Amino acid sequence: MKMTLAKEPTNIIITGVGGQGNVMASRVLAGMLVNAGFIVTIGETFGMSQRGGSVMSHLRVSSTSVLSPQIPQGRADIVIALEPVEALRVLVKYGNPAVAVLAQFPHGLSYGSHNRRV
């Protein structure tokens, strides 16, 4: 059975800081998507990653064509953040009202209107 994308293309950003495994995560996710039959283009920005600086990977997923590795501003569909502050930084440039965000928050950080704990 051929899988389909909810949106063509689907633009995914994985962001974090050096040493968190961002590059490994992007390659594992890309490999899984390729194995599922999709075309994946990866673009990576390392910056000062060896010193705990920003690291960002762009994954552009398509079922029909190879795309530029750079996601256009305001066009991210999914942001996966290994560092919450990096999620905010990325959303300023690539976010839009429909973007889905998956972020790792420190233990005990509250969220939502009911002040539930993570």
Side-chain angles (χ1 to χ4, degrees):
M1 181 173 87
K2 174 88 168 137
M3 297 179 77
T4 59
L5 295 170
K7 181 179 173 287
E8 180 74 38
T10 297
N11 296 317
I12 304 169
I13 296 176
I14 301 177
T15 188
V17 295
Q20 289 185 307
N22 179 305
V23 174
M24 176 63 77
S26 68
R27 292 182 181 168
V28 168
L29 179 57
M32 292 168 50
L33 290 164
V34 167
N35 287 342
F38 297 109
I39 300 166
V40 181
T41 308
I42 300 177
E44 295 170 338
T45 303
F46 296 102
M48 293 289 293
S49 61
Q50 291 181 344
R51 303 197 189 288
S54 298
V55 180
M56 181 171 42
S57 299
H58 290 211
L59 286 83
R60 304 202 66 200
V61 186
S62 175
S63 57
T64 60
S65 60
V66 175
L67 303 163
S68 160
Q70 182 72 31
I71 294 172
Q73 289 187 11
R75 301 292 299 270
D77 297 305
I78 302 168
V79 173
I80 301 169
L82 304 177
E83 170 61 45
V85 173
E86 291 301 310
L88 297 174
R89 187 182 64 75
V90 165
L91 288 169
V92 167
K93 186 171 183 179
Y94 297 100
N96 62 72
V99 68
V101 178
L102 175 63
Q104 176 179 339
F105 289 96
H107 180 69
L109 186 66
S110 61
Y111 71 98
S113 60
H114 300 292
N115 203 24
R116 299 184 335 214
R117 297 281 177 188
V118 175

